[in-house]
């Protein structure tokens, strides 16, 4: 049973890395990924049915709180889905770690975007440019148009932190 837990944790981390890259590229978090993360969270806790119940209760409470925040326009729907999907696989202390690490990573992300105001406006990245150059050009363009932060990146960082805190 221990190898199942390790496999699910590794798959969750891989999915979170994918979420971060897709969120940077499109600012969308797909439902299928959130469902897969929730499923992996439940599979990782099959040895302890009580912990599954506790995780579902904590995730439901978290959903209600985040839904109110979403209704006020302070967080995106994909971010709510991703946080709740991650909470399904974590105990209460893990959810607290998830939210704390996400908030810290979100602060770093916001600081980077604030620093982008001081950087020069890039020209279009020519064909064959490095990935970093292309990402910078697109992110600076989005920043100038007041696009939202790719907060899925911060949530993915918080999720990876919480998953690694559980131990592989």
């Amino acid at each position: 049973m221990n190898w199942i837990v390790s496999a699910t944790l590794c798959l969750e981390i891989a999915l979170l890395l994918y979420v971060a890259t897709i969120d940077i590229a499109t600012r969308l978090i797909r439902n299928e990924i959130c469902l897969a993360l929730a499923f992996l969270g439940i599979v990782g806790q099959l040895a302890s049915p009580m912990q599954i119940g506790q995780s579902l209760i904590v995730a439901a409470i978290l959903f209600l709180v985040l839904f109110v925040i979403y209704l006020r326009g302070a967080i995106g729907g994909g971010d709510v889905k991703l946080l709740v999907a991650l909470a399904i696989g974590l105990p209460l202390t893990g959810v607290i770690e998830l939210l704390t690490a996400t908030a810290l990573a979100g602060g770093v992300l916001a600081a980077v975007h604030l620093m982008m105001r001081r950087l020069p406006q890039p020209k279009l990245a020519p064909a064959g440019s490095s990935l970093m150059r292309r990402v910078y050009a697109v992110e600076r363009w989005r920043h100038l148009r007041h696009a939202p932060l790719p907060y899925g990146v911060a949530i993915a960082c918080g999720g990876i932190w919480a998953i690694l805190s559980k131990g592989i």
Side-chain angles (χ1 to χ4, degrees):
M1 193 67 163
N2 194 19
W3 68 271
I4 293 175
V5 173
S6 295
T8 58
L9 295 180
C10 289
L11 285 171
E12 285 176 320
I13 290 171
L15 281 173
L16 287 172
L17 292 173
Y18 177 72
V19 163
T21 57
I22 292 301
D23 196 38
I24 289 171
T26 64
R27 298 296 198 272
L28 296 173
I29 298 172
R30 299 180 58 189
N31 293 338
E32 298 84 9
I33 295 171
C34 294
L35 287 172
L37 285 167
F39 176 75
L40 289 170
I42 291 172
V43 169
Q45 298 180 51
L46 284 177
S48 171
M50 289 297 290
Q51 190 171 353
I52 293 173
Q54 178 192 19
S55 292
L56 290 174
I57 291 169
V58 170
I61 294 168
L62 180 64
F63 172 74
L64 292 174
V65 170
L66 291 175
F67 187 68
V68 170
I69 295 170
Y70 165 76
L71 290 176
R72 294 182 177 216
I75 191 170
D79 301 333
V80 171
K81 292 183 299 189
L82 184 58
L83 281 167
V84 171
L86 286 169
I88 290 174
L90 297 171
L92 178 59
T93 56
V95 172
I96 292 169
E97 285 181 10
L98 167 69
L99 295 175
T100 303
T102 298
L104 292 173
V108 170
L109 181 66
V112 167
H113 271 258
L114 285 174
M115 285 189 292
M116 287 182 78
R117 290 183 181 178
R118 301 271 186 218
L119 297 175
Q121 190 168 346
K123 297 176 184 167
L124 289 176
S129 296
S130 70
L131 177 63
M132 288 301 293
R133 169 100 165 85
R134 289 181 287 166
V135 168
Y136 168 69
V138 170
E139 283 301 310
R140 182 71 170 118
W141 178 81
R142 284 180 177 154
H143 185 266
L144 291 172
R145 283 153 186 77
H146 304 289
L149 289 174
Y151 210 73
V153 174
I155 297 170
C157 290
I160 291 170
W161 179 271
I163 288 167
L164 290 177
S165 294
K166 283 189 344 185
I168 293 183

